[in-house]
Amino acid sequence: MGKVLVTGAMGNVGRYVAQYLISNGQSVVVAGKTLDALKQRYGDTARAVLLDFTNQATFAAALSDVDRVFIMRPPHIGDPKVFEHFIDALKATGNIQLVSFLSLIGIEHNPIPPHYKIEKYIEKFGLPYCHIRPSFFMQNISGVHAFEIKHFDRITIPVKQALTSFIDAEDIGELTASVLSNPSKHQNTAYAITGSQALDYNEVAEILSAELGRKITYANPKPRTAKQYWIEVRGLPKGYCHVMSMLYLMTRMGTAKKVTTTFETVMAKKPQTFRQFVQKNLAAWQDSGDG
C-alpha cells in the first residue's frame, strides 16, 4: 500500500491518528501549515509536508504516493466550498482507497454546519469514504473551556441540562487509524462514535470537583451571553465562536445525547470514560501553584 496523509496532524485528533498509524506500521505523511512544528513533533517517523486547503499549489507534493487520507476541517475555515478543490485533487490521483473525514455525530440530519456539505462533496466525487462522526471531544473541556474552570471554578457552556456523550480524542484517533490501516473493510461507511455514557454539565462539574479536590460549578449561561463572552472577554475569533455557538445550540436541542456502541464494535474494547480523561489531564485545570 501507499502512504496515509494525515491533515491537521498537530491537532487534537490528527496527532492521535498519526501516532496510531505509525504504531500500526503504516507509512505516514503529516500535513499542516507549519513545517518546523511538524518536523519537531514527528522527526523521522513520518514525512512532513506543507498543506493549505486554500492554496492548490500545496496539493501535489502532499498527495505524492498517497492512497489514504484523513481530512480534518481547520476551525477557521467555515466555508465548505474551500474543500472542493482538494477533494477534486484527491479524485484526480486515481489512487485513493479511502478518505476518512472528521465530521460530527448526527450531521446526516443537519445540513447547516460545513461538515454536511464536505461529506457530500466526498461522496459526489465518488471517492471511497468512511466518515468519522464523533460526539463532543472531552478535550473541549481541557482546551477551549479550561480557562474558566482553571481560574473561576466554573464551566461556561450554554446547553442547560442537555446530555453529551463525550468521547476522548485519543479514542477517535485510534479508531480512525484502524480504519485507515484496513481500508477495504470500511469503504463507504459512516461511524457515529461516542463514549459509553451521556453526561450533563452538572455531572461533568461533579467529576471535575471530585478529581481536582475543589468545587467546580456549571454556570449555565444563555447562548447569546456565552457567545458575547467568548468574543468580547476571551477574545476568541468570531468565526470560531459562531460555529461553536451553532454546535451548542444543537446540543441544547438534544442532538449530543445519543450513546452508540460503534467504538466497542470496531475496536473490541470500551472507550475511555470522562473520569479517566480527567485523571489523565489534571494539569489542564490547575494553576501552576496548585502542584
Side-chain angles (χ1 to χ4, degrees), residues 241-290:
C241 294
H242 178 68
V243 173
M244 188 158 65
S245 296
M246 188 163 44
L247 298 179
Y248 282 130
L249 184 61
M250 290 162 56
T251 300
R252 200 177 167 99
M253 293 161 61
T255 60
K257 66 184 179 184
K258 182 180 179 182
V259 173
T260 72
T261 56
T262 307
F263 181 87
E264 194 170 352
T265 301
V266 175
M267 300 303 297
K269 64 177 182 178
K270 288 190 179 295
Q272 296 173 78
T273 66
F274 184 71
R275 190 176 295 274
Q276 287 173 313
F277 172 78
V278 173
Q279 289 168 348
K280 284 192 304 181
N281 293 280
L282 291 173
W285 308 286
Q286 290 171 333
D287 281 324
S288 55
D290 289 347

Side-chain angles (χ1 to χ4, degrees), residues 60-279:
L63 293 174
S64 177
D65 299 323
V66 163
D67 63 6
R68 289 153 291 155
V69 182
F70 169 70
I71 299 179
M72 200 285 294
R73 180 190 68 85
H76 66 278
I77 300 181
D79 181 4
K81 287 183 181 177
V82 168
F83 293 86
E84 275 192 291
H85 294 300
F86 183 71
I87 294 164
D88 192 23
L90 290 181
K91 180 69 174 177
T93 69
N95 297 327
I96 301 301
Q97 296 183 29
L98 196 68
V99 177
S100 195
F101 170 59
L102 183 65
S103 193
L104 294 172
I105 197 165
I107 198 68
E108 65 275 24
H109 307 302
N110 186 355
I112 297 170
H115 308 71
Y116 178 90
K117 290 188 176 69
I118 297 168
E119 282 194 9
K120 294 302 178 191
Y121 289 150
I122 293 166
E123 293 170 24
K124 183 178 82 172
F125 278 99
L127 290 162
Y129 64 87
C130 178
H131 304 318
I132 305 295
R133 296 172 176 164
S135 190
F136 276 84
F137 303 170
M138 294 178 186
Q139 278 75 3
N140 290 338
I141 308 299
S142 64
V144 67
H145 299 302
F147 180 84
E148 292 78 27
I149 298 166
K150 182 175 181 175
H151 297 292
F152 308 115
D153 294 334
R154 65 172 180 257
I155 302 168
T156 307
I157 294 170
V159 297
K160 298 172 94 171
Q161 308 310 316
L163 297 171
T164 300
S165 52
F166 295 100
I167 184 160
D168 192 328
E170 182 173 357
D171 286 339
I172 304 169
E174 186 178 6
L175 179 140
T176 305
S178 179
V179 163
L180 287 163
S181 298
N182 302 279
S184 60
K185 282 178 60 178
H186 304 281
Q187 287 183 342
N188 303 332
T189 55
Y191 292 146
I193 53 175
T194 74
S196 55
Q197 58 184 160
L199 303 170
D200 67 34
Y201 280 96
N202 286 310
E203 292 172 303
V204 168
E206 285 172 18
I207 292 168
L208 284 165
S209 298
E211 298 300 330
L212 290 168
R214 64 183 203 266
K215 179 68 174 172
I216 308 297
T217 58
Y218 173 40
N220 190 19
K222 292 179 179 177
R224 184 179 295 179
T225 305
K227 186 176 180 181
Q228 188 176 10
Y229 165 76
W230 295 329
I231 294 169
E232 295 180 9
V233 180
R234 289 286 307 279
L236 300 172
K238 281 187 180 179
Y240 176 83
C241 294
H242 178 68
V243 173
M244 188 158 65
S245 296
M246 188 163 44
L247 298 179
Y248 282 130
L249 184 61
M250 290 162 56
T251 300
R252 200 177 167 99
M253 293 161 61
T255 60
K257 66 184 179 184
K258 182 180 179 182
V259 173
T260 72
T261 56
T262 307
F263 181 87
E264 194 170 352
T265 301
V266 175
M267 300 303 297
K269 64 177 182 178
K270 288 190 179 295
Q272 296 173 78
T273 66
F274 184 71
R275 190 176 295 274
Q276 287 173 313
F277 172 78
V278 173
Q279 289 168 348

Side-chain angles (χ1 to χ4, degrees), residues 15-37:
R15 66 190 180 99
Y16 287 119
V17 175
Q19 176 186 312
Y20 280 101
L21 282 167
I22 292 163
S23 65
N24 288 350
Q26 302 298 309
S27 183
V28 177
V29 181
V30 288
K33 293 178 75 173
T34 314
L35 207 52
D36 287 345

